[in-house]
Amino acid sequence: MTTSPALPRTRQRLILAVLLSSSLLIWLDNTILTTAFETLADPARGLGADPAELQWATGSYTLVFATLMFTAGALGDRFGHRTVLATGMAVFAAASVWAAYAAGPGQLIAARAAMGLGSALIMPASMAVLMWTFSGPARTTAIGISSASAGVGVAAGPLLAGVLLDRFWWGSVFLVNIPVVVLALVGILTLIPDFRSPTRRTLDVTGLLLSVSGLASLAYGLIRAGQVTSWSDPEVWGPAAAGLALLAAFVRAELRHRQPSFDPRLLARRMFGGGNAAVGLLLLAMTASGFYGAFYFQGVRSFSPLEAGLTTTPAALGTIVGAPLGVRLVRRWSLLRVSGTALTSTALAMGCFTQFGQHTPLLPIEGVLLVQGLSIGMVIGPVTAALLATLPLDRAGAGSAVLNTVRQTGSLLGIAVGGTLMSLVYRNAVESSLDGAPAPVREQAQVSAEQARHLAATLDRPALADAADAAFIKAMHAGSAVLMLIALAAAALLAYALRPAGSGGGTDADRPGPPPVDEAVPDRIKG
């Protein structure tokens, strides 16, 4: 089927429900895993995963998701979006079972990469089906509802994980995906027509290989720094430099491709490129902040998984409320004033974590999380809509691929940078407390605070657990200060991207690439 059919309204709503379940599944899984970090790091209750292994458990998923997503769109054009969507759901379900019964961190990392493959097939196919099913104002409404499902997943994920981890073993957080997949597959196969594009895009194999190898090498180098506690080690800068070189080759290859899956020319537009970079930095800071929070609440504060999920609820609810609130405020004030202020507030909220300790009252923590969630929602929703609005309709698909890839890349680097900073500062901070301890004890305690607490309980050395908590707090403070600076840099970059075209410093017309469309952007977007 190559033309958009006029489907009955009831069937359209049922299709939207199926697509929402697909989107919700992806967002639930991401937040569920974050809540399970502390359990997975525990040698007795989990897999005894060290920080680097936990970084890769998330990073392998994000790496595959980010690099295969734009290729999956071409597969949908060639084989039909319903087929690709159903295949993605099946892969996601099979990989979830594999992750649930992983015998060690290595198997979990591999299973998470397979889940990333499923998600990469699901995401572009879902958007394509939505665009084919709806038109006009109904399409805009459907996109808004679909975006809101992300907030629901973020809010429900930690709570669901808490309930499961309090009652079952850690693998249950992955098995919960199976019923959702089964219901979604029934809906996909019975409700969704086999949409496909009349123009088949070529598969960009060269770009795929360069992007995967480049991001993997860069992430490996950054994560390895936390293991060898040195940035000058060849095992760190070698892979990182190779990754940057491969990514540069990827950009060059895409510039020369007649139908690039990832079009770097779009990033030459001041608003689109700068806005994407700002959102990517925000995602980096967000992901790293969530990495710290998982260990802070369940490790240092000794909260149960359910209690930790309830504690972070204000941030998730704030994100849900912030997105539509930001859209309404932009109608009254400019996007620059609303989202620029919100991004600055996000940075300051992240900086507040430098003041939190083992006995900080919950009320100020909850207040900071609420402000952070509201602010993030007021940035991502309005800025995303504005960035896509700067592109002509025939470039919207390419722009969406660039936008999503940049976001996932930011998340991947957030895990790599945030986890490495935590490991480096923690090891240096805990080292002085291990003087005189036997070599095996000292070596295990330096791996992570979770390993140190387990060792302290086994050897009945409460002082070791106290030292590990203090070292982690110091690491969280240092990491949070860096994340605040990154988010402030994102705010400055967003202000540059959204400044009025006539304010100097050049416009998109001065940049290479497709013709500018800034003139079509409403003044409330420009500022």
Side-chain angles (χ1 to χ4, degrees):
M1 182 177 298
T2 60
T3 57
S4 181
L7 297 176
R9 182 169 298 181
T10 300
R11 188 175 178 183
Q12 287 181 331
R13 291 173 177 173
L14 290 173
I15 290 175
L16 180 59
V18 172
L19 298 180
L20 290 178
S21 68
S22 304
S23 175
L24 184 65
L25 185 70
I26 294 174
W27 287 99
L28 270 175
D29 179 75
N30 282 335
T31 52
I32 280 179
L33 181 64
T34 302
T35 307
F37 275 164
E38 179 71 23
T39 302
L40 290 169
D42 190 282
R45 296 180 297 135
L47 298 175
D50 62 35
E53 289 167 334
L54 291 176
Q55 285 173 277
W56 276 117
T58 298
S60 63
Y61 171 92
T62 309
L63 171 66
V64 175
F65 191 6
T67 53
L68 294 186
M69 186 163 43
F70 49 83
T71 300
L75 291 176
D77 293 340
R78 180 179 295 260
F79 300 108
H81 297 294
R82 181 183 67 182
T83 301
V84 171
L85 180 57
T87 302
M89 296 296 286
V91 170
F92 194 90
S96 295
V97 175
W98 183 12
Y101 293 100
Q107 287 190 20
L108 178 62
I109 291 169
R112 288 287 297 165
M115 293 175 72
L117 170 59
S119 295
L121 295 173
I122 291 169
M123 185 64 77
S126 296
M127 183 55 66
V129 169
L130 187 149
M131 298 295 284
W132 279 88
T133 303
F134 298 93
S135 61
R139 178 183 292 171
T140 303
T141 302
I143 292 175
I145 294 173
S146 180
S147 300
S149 69
V152 175
V154 170
L159 297 178
L160 180 58
V163 171
L164 292 171
L165 292 172
D166 276 356
R167 289 167 171 77
F168 307 103
W169 100 112
W170 60 266
S172 61
V173 302
F174 297 108
L175 291 182
V176 73
N177 297 328
I178 306 304
V180 181
V181 170
V182 171
L183 292 174
L185 279 174
V186 172
I188 291 169
L189 298 176
T190 59
L191 293 170
I192 298 178
D194 195 16
F195 301 121
R196 66 183 68 198
S197 173
T199 303
R200 295 186 177 184
R201 287 184 287 162
T202 57
L203 296 180
D204 186 7
V205 177
T206 301
L208 174 63
L209 294 176
L210 287 173
S211 61
V212 170
S213 56
L215 279 176
S217 297
L218 178 58
Y220 176 84
L222 294 173
I223 293 174
R224 186 62 180 160
Q227 296 175 291
V228 301
T229 64
S230 172
W231 292 102
S232 60
D233 193 299
E235 291 186 50
V236 174
W237 61 260
L244 291 174
L246 288 167
L247 290 175
F250 164 68
V251 171
R252 183 177 180 182
E254 294 300 285
L255 287 172
R256 299 173 65 180
H257 201 287
R258 292 185 63 184
Q259 291 181 314
S261 299
F262 179 96
D263 191 352
R265 296 176 184 84
L266 294 177
L267 296 176
R269 299 171 181 266
R270 174 173 54 81
M271 182 173 176
F272 189 83
N276 265 294
V279 173
L281 288 175
L282 173 60
L283 265 293
L284 187 157
M286 275 177 56
T287 307
S289 179
F291 194 78
Y292 296 153
F295 294 106
Y296 172 63
F297 290 119
Q298 295 185 57
V300 176
R301 302 298 295 259
S302 299
F303 289 177
S304 71
L306 180 57
E307 290 171 335
L310 290 170
T311 302
T312 57
T313 298
L317 294 178
T319 303
I320 295 174
V321 174
L325 177 61
V327 171
R328 290 190 177 187
L329 291 177
V330 167
R331 294 171 183 168
R332 182 171 182 179
W333 294 289
S334 69
L335 177 63
L336 175 58
R337 292 178 182 175
V338 174
S339 292
T341 302
L343 188 45
T344 303
S345 299
T346 301
L348 297 178
M350 291 178 177
C352 288
F353 273 79
T354 62
Q355 307 302 312
F356 295 161
Q358 190 170 1
H359 304 292
T360 302
L362 277 181
L363 185 60
I365 295 176
E366 299 290 88
V368 167
L369 289 175
L370 178 61
V371 170
Q372 181 174 311
L374 277 169
S375 301
I376 289 172
M378 293 170 65
V379 174
I380 293 179
V383 170
T384 299
L387 294 182
L388 291 177
T390 66
L391 302 177
L393 186 59
D394 62 347
R395 306 294 290 164
S400 179
V402 170
L403 189 147
N404 284 308
T405 301
V406 169
R407 288 185 179 188
Q408 293 301 323
T409 301
S411 297
L412 173 63
L413 295 180
I415 287 292
V417 173
T420 295
L421 283 173
M422 183 179 73
S423 296
L424 289 172
V425 179
Y426 168 79
R427 287 192 180 192
N428 290 332
V430 80
E431 191 172 6
S432 60
S433 304
L434 300 174
D435 293 339
V441 172
R442 186 166 58 251
E443 184 177 335
Q444 185 174 349
Q446 286 180 325
V447 171
S448 68
E450 290 67 41
Q451 297 277 1
R453 293 188 199 100
H454 177 74
L455 194 62
T458 302
L459 302 177
D460 192 24
R461 296 182 60 172
L464 177 58
D466 293 339
D469 288 342
F472 176 84
I473 290 294
K474 186 173 182 179
M476 184 180 74
H477 287 173
S480 297
V482 172
L483 297 181
M484 179 183 68
L485 295 177
I486 291 174
L488 286 174
L493 190 56
L494 185 65
Y496 164 78
L498 299 182
R499 79 189 194 283
S503 62
T507 68
D508 284 26
D510 301 319
R511 313 288 182 185
V517 293
D518 272 15
E519 295 87 277
V521 182
D523 290 340
R524 63 176 180 273
I525 291 179
K526 292 183 179 180

